[in-house]
């Protein structure tokens, strides 16, 4: 199997507060990894360290055989290979749906307007939002915004998609439409790293589930193993709390 | 004060009133634009993320300090005094500025000092998520500012900028101290010749009101235009697939 991202001994502190401690794990091509754990365990921080929205305090992130934490590394270029989907959507408020999916392709990847719009429309279709291409973000529901955000990330043709609790800010009736899109992406063989509280979803789509607690990876493995038959007490406790 | 007198004054002096109004409007509009540019420049300079321990950051700090001094000085002194200082200090050094140019310099710099704060406020009020989303798709700081942040800032500060324009239309009247032939100066000349102060200034008052009223309406219209239509066109699937 081909490793897309390999994380070695990653640590992150905010001042005195050590949020990630010696985290080691990797994502393989075509794999869907779900990251679970209680609030404050460092899941978001890990994801944000991977695309360098937070600067790791130590360790290495290996992408394409290179440690992207080396000083000379082109961070902006590296980020184009990662598609990020935020809990709060973060669509560009000054741009309409189509432009949201085009701007990065045009300005960063230097694609032609024609190519960028075709690609944008293709992915807007995948998420079922091509009808709304002229709408501004403020005119959309949360679920619609999140689907556009997914299309925006996909349009950059990333090697891996990172999702940070993509359904947590949504009203219950909109969670389904976003999870449905994510199921499709998983089925199509996209590489995905998903922070989620949706255990049912994780069980269904994940190739591997990673359980984090207090800044360390406690346990990882196939969903049927980690979710149904966890080895560690901390995992058992967490699952008892969330599944009850 | 009688209505007939007002009509007579208008009949005899309308070219002077018109010219005064024209100068007032020209100074107000041009210097608001100059001020907006200065404001954006300073606002951007003040919000460049500082890299640690670099020579560039040191230079930037000194430069930003100078800009802060400028902002403080122009916000902390009356524009009338600024006009006198700029005009007569330069005059003392043998530089005789055209009065209209001097007016643009004073009002432009004054507006710039206020706009700097407005723009800075506009930039910091943009949600952090907008920067993060831009960074996440690989934009650098410059691209993030130009394509994502500043367009939103420009839209958000439009009401405050309009307010500056309205204030500038009124405040150009203090420029009469350096004999700029704006509306107030012209009115003073007219009244000085016909001794009808009340009627002459009533006319000036009305002209100021008309100008500020129109400016306000135009800016509202511009806001509406920038926001685009309330509804959006729903593209049907076949058209989108073409
Ligand atoms: N910018 C920051 N400055 C200081 N502390 C931070 C910062 N960001 C996160 N933390 C701290 O790091 C810890 C881990 O936060 P993180 O957001 O990664 O948790 P999480 O697992 O994503 O939780 P949740 O499920 O609530 O999203 C928390 O204790 C949090 O307070
Ligand atoms: Mg989180």
């Amino acid at each position: 199997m081909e490793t897309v991202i390999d994380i070695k001994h990653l640590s992150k502190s905010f001042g005195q507060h050590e949020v990630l401690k010696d985290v080691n794990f990797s994502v393989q091509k075509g794999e869907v990894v779900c990251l679970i754990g209680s609030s404050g365990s460092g899941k978001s921080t890990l994801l944000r360290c991977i695309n360098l929205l937070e600067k790791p305090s130590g360790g290495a992130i290996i992408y394409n055989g290179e440690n992207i934490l080396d000083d000379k590394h082109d961070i902006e270029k590296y980020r184009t290979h990662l598609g990020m989907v935020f809990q709060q959507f973060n669509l560009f408020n000054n741009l309409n749906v189509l432009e949201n999916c085009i701007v990065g392709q045009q300005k960063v990847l230097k694609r032609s307007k024609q190519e960028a719009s075709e690609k944008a429309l293709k992915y807007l279709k995948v998420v079922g939002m091509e009808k709304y291409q002229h709408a501004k973000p403020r005119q959309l529901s949360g679920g619609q915004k999140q689907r556009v955000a997914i299309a925006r990330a996909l349009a950059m043709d990333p090697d891996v998609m990172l999702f940070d609790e993509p359904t947590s800010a949504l009203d219950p009736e909109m969670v389904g439409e976003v999870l449905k899109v994510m199921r499709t992406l998983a089925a199509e063989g996209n590489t995905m790293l998903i922070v989620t509280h949706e255990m049912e979803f994780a069980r269904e789509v994940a190739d591997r589930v990673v359980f984090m607690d207090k800044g360390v990876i406690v346990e990882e493995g196939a969903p049927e193993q980690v979710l149904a038959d966890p080895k560690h007490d901390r995992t058992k406790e967490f699952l008892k709390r969330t599944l009850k | 004060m009688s209505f007939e007198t007002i009509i007579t004054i208008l009949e005899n002096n309308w070219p002077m009133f018109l010219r005064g109004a024209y100068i007032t409007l020209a100074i107000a509009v041009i210097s608001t634009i100059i001020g907006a540019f200065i404001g954006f420049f300073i606002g951007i300079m003040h919000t460049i993320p500082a890299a640690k321990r670099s020579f560039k950051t040191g230079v930037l700090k000194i430069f930003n300090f100078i800009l802060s001094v400028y902002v403080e000085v122009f916000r902390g002194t009356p524009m009338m005094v600024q006009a006198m200082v700029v005009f007569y200090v330069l005059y003392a050094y043998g530089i005789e500025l055209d009065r209209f140019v001097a007016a643009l310099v004073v009002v432009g710099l004054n507006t710039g000092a206020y706009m700097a704060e407005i723009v800075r406020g506009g930039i910091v009020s943009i949600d952090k998520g907008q920067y993060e989303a831009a960074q996440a798709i690989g934009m650098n700081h410059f691209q993030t500012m130009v394509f994502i942040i500043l367009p939103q800032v420009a839209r958000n500060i439009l009401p405050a900028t309009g307010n500056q324009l309205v204030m500038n239309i009124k405040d150009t009247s203090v420029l009469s101290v350096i004999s700029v032939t704006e509306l107030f100066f012209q009115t003073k000349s007219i009244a000085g010749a016909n001794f009808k102060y009340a009627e002459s200034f009533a006319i000036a008052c009305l002209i100021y009101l008309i100008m500020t009223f129109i400016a306000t309406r135009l800016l509202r219209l511009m806001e509406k235009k920038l926001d685009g239509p309330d509804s959006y066109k729903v593209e049907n699937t076949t058209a989108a697939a073409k």
Side-chain angles (χ1 to χ4, degrees), chain B residues 20-33:
Chain B
Y22 168 71
I23 299 282
T24 288
L25 209 56
I27 294 172
V29 170
I30 298 172
S31 43
T32 304
I33 292 169

Side-chain angles (χ1 to χ4, degrees), chain A residues 8-199:
Chain A
K8 293 185 166 152
H9 309 293
L10 194 80
S11 64
K12 171 68 186 174
S13 303
F14 292 107
Q16 297 289 342
H17 187 181
E18 208 181 2
V19 177
L20 296 177
K21 298 161 206 160
D22 193 29
V23 172
N24 293 283
F25 97 118
S26 61
V27 181
Q28 311 298 320
K29 194 168 169 61
E31 196 182 24
V32 177
V33 181
C34 282
L35 197 54
I36 60 170
S38 51
S39 186
S41 57
K43 307 179 298 292
S44 296
T45 306
L46 176 56
L47 221 58
R48 293 165 57 81
C49 277
I50 291 177
N51 70 1
L52 301 182
L53 286 177
E54 302 288 355
K55 196 176 181 317
S57 315
I61 298 173
I62 314 291
Y63 172 80
N64 258 347
E66 285 177 63
N67 181 8
I68 52 125
L69 297 182
D70 283 345
D71 274 347
K72 56 181 191 321
H73 213 91
D74 184 347
I75 293 175
E76 274 107 27
K77 182 139 188 294
Y78 163 69
R79 284 191 178 128
T80 63
H81 300 298
L82 311 175
M84 179 80 170
V85 177
F86 298 87
Q87 189 173 346
Q88 299 297 337
F89 332 125
N90 296 343
L91 290 184
F92 302 130
N93 293 324
N94 56 318
L95 305 176
N96 71 22
V97 166
L98 187 63
E99 290 162 342
N100 259 280
C101 301
I102 286 178
V103 69
Q105 299 186 65
Q106 254 195 307
K107 306 300 178 190
V108 181
L109 300 180
K110 312 287 182 202
R111 287 180 184 156
S112 70
K113 173 130 201 191
Q114 164 99 26
E115 188 191 355
S117 347
E118 277 169 18
K119 194 139 254 177
L121 282 172
K122 173 181 154 195
Y123 286 110
L124 283 173
K125 229 180 202 169
V126 169
V127 301
M129 285 298 292
E130 80 277 18
K131 269 190 194 166
Y132 299 90
Q133 54 181 284
H134 303 296
K136 283 288 184 77
R138 65 185 149 84
Q139 295 164 324
L140 302 177
S141 73
Q144 292 175 325
K145 281 187 211 177
Q146 194 60 298
R147 286 187 281 148
V148 173
I150 292 172
R152 173 177 70 182
L154 287 171
M156 302 290 287
D157 292 320
D159 289 337
V160 52
M161 290 282 288
L162 310 175
F163 295 83
D164 189 3
E165 297 192 32
T167 58
S168 293
L170 298 177
D171 291 335
E173 65 267 33
M174 292 169 193
V175 170
E177 64 188 69
V178 172
L179 291 185
K180 187 171 151 231
V181 166
M182 291 173 67
R183 275 192 196 97
T184 315
L185 298 181
E188 282 173 355
N190 288 286
T191 313
M192 298 158 80
L193 176 56
I194 307 164
V195 174
T196 185
H197 286 298
E198 303 280 339
M199 293 304 152

Side-chain angles (χ1 to χ4, degrees), chain B residues 107-186:
Chain B
V107 186
L109 286 177
N110 194 281
T111 311
Y114 282 95
M115 289 298 296
E117 279 305 293
I118 294 172
V119 173
R120 201 187 60 80
I123 292 176
V124 299
S125 73
I126 299 290
D127 179 31
K128 212 167 106 260
Q130 297 284 308
Y131 291 89
E132 292 190 341
Q135 281 173 11
I137 58 171
M139 285 194 185
N140 57 33
H141 180 71
F142 178 77
Q143 291 170 327
T144 305
M145 292 308 277
V146 170
F147 301 121
I148 307 300
I149 306 300
L150 294 181
Q152 295 183 46
V153 172
R155 168 61 192 90
N156 292 349
I157 69 169
L158 198 60
T161 311
N163 201 26
Q164 277 294 325
L165 175 64
V166 169
M167 283 189 358
N168 282 345
I169 291 174
K170 297 184 293 179
D171 290 353
T172 45
S173 55
V174 306
L175 295 169
S176 64
V177 295
I178 55 168
S179 308
V180 177
T181 56
E182 40 68 51
L183 184 54
F184 181 79
F185 185 88
Q186 298 285 55

Side-chain angles (χ1 to χ4, degrees), chain B residues 85-97:
Chain B
V85 170
V86 167
F87 190 71
Y88 288 106
V89 166
L90 289 179
Y91 191 81
Y93 282 97
I95 308 165
E96 197 168 351
L97 229 45

